[in-house]
Amino acid sequence: MSAALLEVTDLEAGYGPINVLHKLSLRVDRGEIVAMIGANGAGKTTTLMCLSGVVKARGGKVVFDGRDLVAERVPAHNIVRLGLAQSPEGRKIFSRLTVLENLEMGAFTRADKDGVRADIEKSFVMFPILRERQHQAGGLLSGGQQQMLAIARALMARPKLLLLDEPSLGLAPQIVVQIFDVIKELNRQGMSVLLVEQNARMALKVAHRGYVLETGRITFTDTGETLLNDPRIRAAYLGE
Amino acid sequence: MLDVFAQTGAAGFEQFLLLGLVMGSLYALIALGYTMVYGIIELINFAHGDLFMLGGFLAWQLAWTLGVRTLDASSTGAVVGAVALMLVTAPLACAALNVATDRVIYRPLRSAPKLTVIVSAIGVSFVFMNVGSLWLGTSPVKFPDLVPDANLVTAAGVRFTWKDLMVVGVTVPTMVALTLFVKFTPLGKAMRATAQNPTAAKLMGINVDRVIAVTFAIGGSLAGVAAVVNGLYNKSVHYQMGFQNGLYAFTAAVLGGIGNIPGAVLGGLVIGVVGELSKAYLGTKWSEAVVFTILIVILVFRPSGLLGARTREKV
Ligand SMILES: Nc1ncnc2c1ncn2[C@@H]1O[C@H](COP(=O)(O)OP(=O)(O)O)[C@@H](O)[C@H]1O
Ligand SMILES: [Mg+2]
C-alpha cells in the first residue's frame, strides 16, 4: 500500500469548448489534510467534481487507492463505493428529505444496516443538533446546520478520502471554528481530507500541505505552515 | 367523456361528484406519469397521453385476440382472466416503451437545451398517434364491455356500479402502493433525492440514469393501468384519446404542483370533479372552458400549484 491515497497527474477538464483545468497535479497521502486554495473561478470545484466523476476528465490520471478512475472510466455512482465521498460547495442538501433521510442517502451504497445505524448515531454525537432536528426537512436547517449535515452525509459512505468544498462559505465565525474542529478531529481519527477553501487562513492552518490554484494551474505547493508564511500567498490570499 | 346517465335519467349532485371522483382518479393515474418525469428531469413528456392511448389499444388487442369481446358471450373465468392479463400486459408494455423512449431519445439530449427535448417529446407524441391510427384506424373503436353496469348501492339517487368499483379498486391501491414505494423504499428515496438535487444524488452513489429509467417505467406502467381501466369504463378507444386525457391529466399535474406526487392525485380529483359538475350543470361544451379557467385562476394566485412548494424553472 503506497503512501499516496490520491494521486492526480496532468488532469484536464472543462465545460463545452472551454478547458478549466490545465495539467493539474496533486497528491493526498493517507492520513493527511491537504488544502487547495484559490480565487473564485480558479477551478477548485471543478477539480473536486472531476474527482467525484460528476465532471468528466478530458485527460490525465486520477489514481485513487491504486485504481485509475479516468482510465477505467469509473462512473460517478461507483466512485463513492471505492471510498471517495464529497461534501459539495453550497451543501446541496436534499431539501425536502428529512435530516435522517439525508443521512440515509449518504449511505446509499451500503448494505450493512446495523453499521449504517451505528454511523447515524455517530453523526448525532458529532453534531448533536442533527439529532434534535432529525425529522425535519433538510431545507429548514440553518446554513451552519446544513453544512454539518453535508459533512455527516458524506461520512455516511465511510469514505477513505473526504472531499470538502468550501465548508466555511457563508457561515458565522463561531460555526466555522466548530466545523474546522470537526475536520481536525476526523483527521486525528485517521480520515484523509482534501479541503477546498477560499478561507485560506483557516484552511492552511489545519492542513499538512497545501496547493494554490490559479486559473486551473497549480502555482504553489508546500506545507500549510510555509504557505501561510509566504509573503506572496499572504498578499494574494490572506489580504495582507 | 362518458354517458352512464343516459340510462339513469335525472341524477343529483352526489352522483356527479362521485362520477367526478371516478374520472378524477383516472386523470390522477395519468397525471402521476407527467409529474414524476417532470420532477426528475424537468421534461414535460408530451408523449405521455399517447402512451396511454397505445396502452388502451394493446388492451383492446388482447381481449380481441383472446376472443373475450362481450360479457354475455364469455365465461366469468375468461372475463376475469382477460382483464387480469390486460392489467399485467398493458402496464408492462407501456413501461417498456416509456423506458425505451427515454433511453433512445431523451437520454442523449439530457444536457441539450430544454426546448430541444420538449420538441422531441412532441415528435414522439405524433409518432405514437400515427402508430395508433395505423393500428386501429381513425374512428373510435368499441372496447369490449366486460364489466357489469349493475348498481351496487341502494342509497337514494346515487348509482355506484361494478365499473365504478373497478376504477376505484384499481386506482386507489395503485396510488397507495406508489406513495409507499416513493416514501419508504431505498429506490423511492433515491428518486426523491434525484428529483431534488441530481448532482448531490450522484455524489451519494446513486445511479441517476437508472433512477430516471425507473421513473419512466413507473410513469409508463401507471399510464398502462389507466388505459385498461379507461377502456373498460368508457368502452371505447380512439387514436386521439391521448390528447384530451393527456391534456386533462397534465392540467391536473400542474394544478397540484408539477413534480409533486400527492399534488397530481389531488389535481386529478379536482379536475375530474370540476369537469363532471360543469358538464352536468353547464353543459358538455362548457366543461373544458371551466376546467382551464380554474387552472388559470389557481395558477395566478398559486403559481406553484395547490401543493407545489418550490419554484423551479417552468417551460
Ligand atoms: N457548469 C459549468 N458550465 C460552464 N462553466 C463552468 C461551470 N462550472 C464552472 N464553470 C467555469 O469554470 C471555471 C472554474 O469554476 P469553479 O471550478 O467553480 O471555480 P472555483 O470553485 O475555484 O470558484 C469558472 O470560470 C467557471 O465560470
Ligand atoms: Mg467553487
Side-chain angles (χ1 to χ4, degrees):
Chain A
M1 195 157 74
S2 76
L5 176 57
L6 175 74
E7 177 111 50
V8 177
T9 316
D10 293 338
L11 183 63
E12 306 263 343
Y15 307 92
I18 298 160
N19 264 349
V20 171
L21 304 181
H22 310 281
K23 293 206 172 297
L24 180 143
S25 299
L26 62 81
R27 197 183 83 237
V28 180
D29 287 342
R30 289 172 207 277
E32 260 191 323
I33 299 182
V34 171
M36 178 190 261
I37 61 171
N40 202 3
K44 305 180 297 296
T45 297
T46 304
T47 306
L48 294 196
M49 284 301 178
C50 212
L51 299 180
S52 288
V54 173
V55 171
K56 291 282 160 264
R58 291 171 175 179
K61 290 210 278 193
V62 175
V63 178
F64 177 71
D65 205 16
R67 294 182 57 178
D68 187 343
L69 308 184
V70 179
E72 292 183 37
R73 296 165 173 273
V74 181
H77 60 264
N78 284 338
I79 287 179
V80 189
R81 288 173 175 80
L82 297 179
L84 202 159
Q86 180 180 164
S87 159
E89 182 179 56
R91 347 299 182 200
K92 295 197 177 358
I93 293 303
F94 301 116
S95 56
R96 280 169 293 117
L97 297 189
T98 64
V99 167
L100 196 58
E101 287 172 330
N102 269 277
L103 292 173
E104 287 170 6
M105 282 297 114
F108 185 77
T109 54
R110 293 172 55 184
D112 57 322
K113 284 208 175 107
D114 293 340
V116 170
R117 209 166 307 129
D119 285 353
I120 288 177
E121 183 55 33
K122 273 193 204 163
S123 322
F124 289 161
V125 170
M126 189 172 11
F127 300 115
I129 187 72
L130 296 184
R131 184 197 304 277
E132 275 173 45
R133 311 199 64 176
Q134 57 180 303
H135 298 299
Q136 286 185 25
L140 297 177
L141 302 186
S142 72
Q145 293 163 355
Q146 289 196 357
Q147 186 58 59
M148 295 171 194
L149 179 55
I151 293 175
R153 185 181 66 174
L155 290 171
M156 287 301 300
R158 285 212 173 157
K160 297 174 182 139
L161 176 61
L162 178 64
L163 308 180
L164 297 174
D165 197 344
E166 308 237 22
S168 76
L169 193 70
L171 303 186
Q174 70 271 25
I175 308 281
V176 175
V177 170
Q178 195 189 341
I179 299 271
F180 273 78
D181 282 346
V182 165
I183 296 171
K184 275 187 278 188
E185 175 57 23
L186 285 168
N187 177 253
R188 206 187 53 73
Q189 294 168 12
M191 179 67 67
S192 312
V193 179
L194 176 54
L195 168 65
V196 157
E197 263 298 342
Q198 282 198 59
N199 189 338
R201 190 185 312 271
M202 289 291 285
L204 292 175
K205 259 189 209 161
V206 300
H208 299 99
R209 291 187 303 112
Y211 292 87
V212 179
L213 188 65
E214 286 174 17
T215 57
R217 291 181 174 82
I218 301 288
T219 49
F220 296 95
T221 174
D222 214 317
T223 63
E225 206 182 337
T226 310
L227 288 173
L228 205 49
N229 293 316
D230 187 309
R232 291 164 300 184
I233 307 293
R234 294 183 81 91
Y237 298 102
L238 302 175
E240 288 175 13
Chain B
M1 189 129 304
L2 78 167
D3 213 356
V4 292
F5 296 108
Q7 57 214 312
T8 62
F13 175 80
E14 299 83 359
Q15 185 64 66
F16 296 118
L17 186 67
L18 186 67
L19 181 59
L21 290 173
V22 168
M23 287 311 296
S25 60
L26 266 177
Y27 295 142
L29 272 192
I30 312 175
L32 283 166
Y34 280 104
T35 227
M36 290 175 76
V37 164
Y38 183 88
I40 213 142
I41 56 171
E42 294 186 18
L43 164 69
I44 291 174
N45 184 6
F46 282 102
H48 191 68
D50 306 286
L51 183 74
F52 159 81
M53 175 272 295
L54 288 180
F57 279 26
L58 179 67
W60 176 91
Q61 188 71 55
L62 280 172
W64 191 257
T65 308
L66 291 171
V68 184
R69 297 174 196 177
T70 63
L71 195 53
D72 301 334
S74 318
S75 70
T76 310
V79 168
V80 171
V83 170
L85 189 66
M86 285 181 205
L87 277 173
V88 172
T89 310
L92 280 179
C94 287
L97 186 54
N98 218 21
V99 171
T101 310
D102 172 55
R103 184 69 193 81
V104 175
I105 296 167
Y106 306 140
R107 198 201 284 189
L109 296 174
R110 209 75 93 206
S111 51
K114 267 182 206 147
L115 201 56
T116 313
V117 196
I118 287 182
V119 170
S120 46
I122 294 174
V124 174
S125 160
F126 279 109
V127 171
F128 285 1
M129 243 194 287
N130 277 323
V131 170
S133 68
L134 290 172
W135 189 346
L136 289 183
T138 52
S139 317
V141 175
K142 201 175 157 335
F143 198 91
D145 189 5
L146 298 178
V147 182
D149 254 332
N151 193 5
L152 289 171
V153 295
T154 45
V158 177
R159 256 177 76 81
F160 187 79
T161 67
W162 282 103
K163 276 200 169 69
D164 297 314
L165 182 65
M166 166 197 68
V167 176
V168 175
V170 173
T171 58
V172 172
T174 305
M175 289 187 275
V176 169
L178 176 73
T179 306
L180 295 178
F181 169 80
V182 169
K183 201 153 176 54
F184 295 114
T185 66
L187 193 52
K189 287 180 194 176
M191 277 172 82
R192 285 188 288 147
T194 305
Q196 290 170 38
N197 198 321
T199 304
K202 280 184 196 166
L203 293 176
M204 302 299 110
I206 293 169
N207 183 344
V208 166
D209 277 325
R210 195 171 140 252
V211 168
I212 293 171
V214 170
T215 307
F216 272 89
I218 293 176
S221 57
L222 296 179
V225 171
V228 173
V229 173
N230 174 73
L232 293 169
Y233 194 81
N234 290 325
K235 296 168 288 188
S236 158
V237 285
H238 181 225
Y239 84 111
Q240 280 178 335
M241 73 181 187
F243 180 73
Q244 211 241 325
N245 287 284
L247 195 59
Y248 269 44
F250 172 63
T251 305
V254 174
L255 184 62
I258 188 130
N260 183 308
I261 288 177
V265 175
L266 179 65
L269 295 178
V270 169
I271 296 280
V273 168
V274 168
E276 292 307 323
L277 288 180
S278 54
K279 247 190 234 173
Y281 295 108
L282 300 172
T284 304
K285 62 176 189 268
W286 287 105
S287 117
E288 283 179 22
V290 170
V291 165
F292 288 104
T293 304
I294 288 188
L295 173 76
I296 291 165
V297 169
I298 289 184
L299 289 187
V300 165
F301 292 103
R302 265 197 81 87
S304 51
L306 293 174
L307 300 186
R310 71 220 148 115
T311 41
R312 272 167 85 167
E313 188 187 344
K314 300 270 156 56
V315 276

